């Protein structure tokens, strides 16, 4: 089984984490199944950017991003070339290293 290494994040994984992933599941599903409560305001329907992650290692092993995801990513805070919406990035057989950005665009959480 592939391993997802999550880099330290002050809210979701202060010490970082390493979790087992099931190929065919999304990064978001895997994080949530392992008690890493990443935001996913649209219930993983590819309608927001709150589950944005940066894949530091293993990016090429993920499924290709669809146009809808790429359009949404243009609005994500801290966008990088290896950015993905974790609800759309399907884990394959390779280990991944993932960084959860410090901020997201989530008006409900920010009380706007």
């Amino acid at each position: 089984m592939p391993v997802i290494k999550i880099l330290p994040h002050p809210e979701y994984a202060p010490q970082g984490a390493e979790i087992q992933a099931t190929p065919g599941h999304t990064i978001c599903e895997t994080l949530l199944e392992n008690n890493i409560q990443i935001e996913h305001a649209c219930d993983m329907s590819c309608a927001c950017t709150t589950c944005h992650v940066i894949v530091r290692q293993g990016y090429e092993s993920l499924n290709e991003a669809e146009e809808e995801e790429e359009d949404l990513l243009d609005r994500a805070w801290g966008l990088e070339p290896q950015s993905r919406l974790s609800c759309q990035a399907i884990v394959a057989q390779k280990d991944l290293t993932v960084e959860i950005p410090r901020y997201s665009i989530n008006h409900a959480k920010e009380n706007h």
Side-chain angles (χ1 to χ4, degrees), residues 11 18-19 48 76 85:
E11 184 177 346
E18 287 193 12
I19 58 177
C48 73
L85 296 181

Side-chain angles (χ1 to χ4, degrees), residues 60-87:
E60 67 286 342
S61 71
L62 300 170
N63 60 311
E64 192 170 322
E66 300 282 332
E67 185 176 342
E68 182 179 14
E69 178 185 357
E70 290 178 350
D71 289 346
L72 281 168
L73 279 169
D74 287 339
R75 299 185 302 191
W77 185 91
L79 182 67
E80 294 193 17
Q82 303 87 4
S83 288
R84 290 295 304 265
L85 296 181
S86 66
C87 71

Side-chain angles (χ1 to χ4, degrees), residues 29-108:
E29 290 169 327
T30 304
L31 294 175
L32 293 171
E33 290 166 359
N34 286 275
N35 297 315
I36 297 174
Q37 299 301 315
I38 189 169
E39 291 184 58
H40 55 288
C42 70
D43 281 334
M44 298 182 272
S45 65
C46 195
C48 73
T49 63
T50 60
C51 72
H52 168 229
V53 296
I54 302 163
V55 182
R56 297 291 182 200
Q57 180 184 338
Y59 181 86
E60 67 286 342
S61 71
L62 300 170
N63 60 311
E64 192 170 322
E66 300 282 332
E67 185 176 342
E68 182 179 14
E69 178 185 357
E70 290 178 350
D71 289 346
L72 281 168
L73 279 169
D74 287 339
R75 299 185 302 191
W77 185 91
L79 182 67
E80 294 193 17
Q82 303 87 4
S83 288
R84 290 295 304 265
L85 296 181
S86 66
C87 71
Q88 300 300 302
I90 299 172
V91 177
Q93 297 294 330
K94 284 188 79 175
D95 292 348
L96 302 170
T97 299
V98 173
E99 179 180 350
I100 302 170
R102 190 171 192 111
Y103 303 103
S104 73
I105 301 169
N106 185 349
H107 297 291

